Amino acid sequence: MPAYKRILLKLSGEALMGDDAYGINRATIVRMVREVRQVTDQGVEVAVVIGGGNIFRGVAGGSVGMDRATADYMGMLATVMNSLALADTMRQEGMTARVMSAISIEQVVEPYVRPKALQYLEEGKVVVFAAGTGNPFFTTDTAAALRGAEIGAELVLKATKVDGVYTADPAKDPDAKRYENITFDEAIARNLQVMDATAFALCRDQKLPIKVFSIFKPGALERVVRGENEGTLVHV
């Protein structure tokens, strides 16, 4: 039986690139969707927040010197594109997903309304939260923490290329050790970059645990929701 009933999965836009320089790698997004389906088939309610770095990377050169707020709004639109691609892939894999945007683009996706999002989750649909928080200067990490708290998620899962939080960069230090679990205060004291500071503080204040794991390990998501020793758990 799954250890968690409702989770918030935070995906980076870069995770969708595969080996490409930018954009969306079809094989990569299909594999991720199938990982999500493994847990939804077990009755786990899943919401997703996705970044836009893979799309925004393609226009990064033209954004140099741009006003920060304008650049952030462009990034929000990139997350909408990723969210639509993710939801469409889920549809093709036999799942039902709903994209809800923090900024109004009603011809494309429906606006974020908390009671509606909760209804979709209870109906077994995957809810994809697009456009971050709808405000510039806030990252999609913060959006994940915020939406996770709003929907009553039991766990925020930060899916990365690394299978947890380490004492040092494992790519540079072969002796780096992975933490199985660590408290928020310990992570701050050791200056471990789990999420951005605003998101991290919000999760700590709401007593919302964070699990950092590798989305590229087959079956890792399922092991996480079963409560197995996968990745690193950050808790109060």
Side-chain angles (χ1 to χ4, degrees), residues 35 38 157 213-225 230:
E35 293 277 329
Q38 285 183 344
L157 284 70
F213 76 107
S214 172
I215 193 65
F216 294 96
K217 287 180 65 176
L221 179 59
E222 183 177 15
R223 290 191 292 274
V224 167
V225 300
E230 182 71 46

Side-chain angles (χ1 to χ4, degrees), residues 2-10 44-48 144-145 147-149 151-158 184 195 203 206-213 220-228 230-236:
Y4 301 98
K5 174 64 175 176
R6 180 176 294 171
I7 62 172
L8 188 294
L9 176 63
K10 167 60 171 66
V44 179
E45 297 173 0
V46 179
V48 181
R147 298 290 182 247
I151 66 170
E154 298 169 282
L155 184 69
V156 170
L157 284 70
K158 181 165 183 179
F184 285 102
M195 299 178 92
C203 286
Q206 297 300 314
K207 297 180 174 56
L208 179 57
I210 303 167
K211 172 74 82 165
V212 182
F213 76 107
L221 179 59
E222 183 177 15
R223 290 191 292 274
V224 167
V225 300
R226 286 182 173 275
E228 298 179 17
E230 182 71 46
T232 299
L233 180 68
V234 186
H235 57 92
V236 175

Side-chain angles (χ1 to χ4, degrees), residues 148-206:
E150 286 184 303
I151 66 170
E154 298 169 282
L155 184 69
V156 170
L157 284 70
K158 181 165 183 179
T160 69
K161 294 181 178 180
V162 183
D163 64 339
V165 179
Y166 281 77
T167 54
D169 186 346
K172 299 177 181 178
D173 185 355
D175 296 322
K177 304 296 183 183
R178 178 176 64 87
Y179 295 103
E180 289 187 15
N181 62 78
I182 189 170
T183 68
F184 285 102
D185 290 341
E186 288 172 337
I188 292 171
R190 298 174 188 178
N191 197 31
L192 301 175
Q193 303 300 315
V194 178
M195 299 178 92
D196 77 71
T198 304
F200 197 73
L202 180 55
C203 286
R204 182 182 61 177
D205 291 346
Q206 297 300 314

Side-chain angles (χ1 to χ4, degrees), residues 4 20 37 44-45 86 93 108 115 118 123 137 143 171 200 231:
Y4 301 98
D20 299 340
R37 184 173 181 177
V44 179
E45 297 173 0
L86 187 67
E93 291 295 318
V108 182
L118 292 171
E123 292 172 350
F137 307 107
F200 197 73

Side-chain angles (χ1 to χ4, degrees), residues 77-101:
L77 294 176
T79 72
V80 174
M81 295 169 68
N82 280 339
S83 297
L84 289 169
L86 187 67
D88 185 69
T89 304
M90 288 179 173
R91 178 188 60 79
Q92 294 181 41
E93 291 295 318
M95 303 166 66
T96 304
R98 293 289 184 267
V99 179
M100 308 187 85
S101 173

Side-chain angles (χ1 to χ4, degrees), residues 6-76:
R6 180 176 294 171
I7 62 172
L8 188 294
L9 176 63
K10 167 60 171 66
L11 290 171
S12 68
E14 288 81 1
L16 302 182
M17 296 191 305
D19 294 326
D20 299 340
Y22 56 84
I24 298 170
N25 181 283
R26 177 66 185 171
T28 299
I29 195 171
V30 167
R31 185 184 56 76
M32 288 183 181
V33 164
R34 289 175 179 171
E35 293 277 329
V36 173
R37 184 173 181 177
Q38 285 183 344
V39 300
T40 58
D41 284 349
Q42 297 175 38
V44 179
E45 297 173 0
V46 179
V48 181
V49 169
I50 190 164
N54 59 316
I55 303 294
F56 197 66
R57 184 175 295 189
V59 297
S63 68
V64 175
M66 184 179 293
D67 175 77
R68 168 65 189 274
T70 300
D72 281 359
Y73 280 115
M74 291 174 64
M76 290 180 215

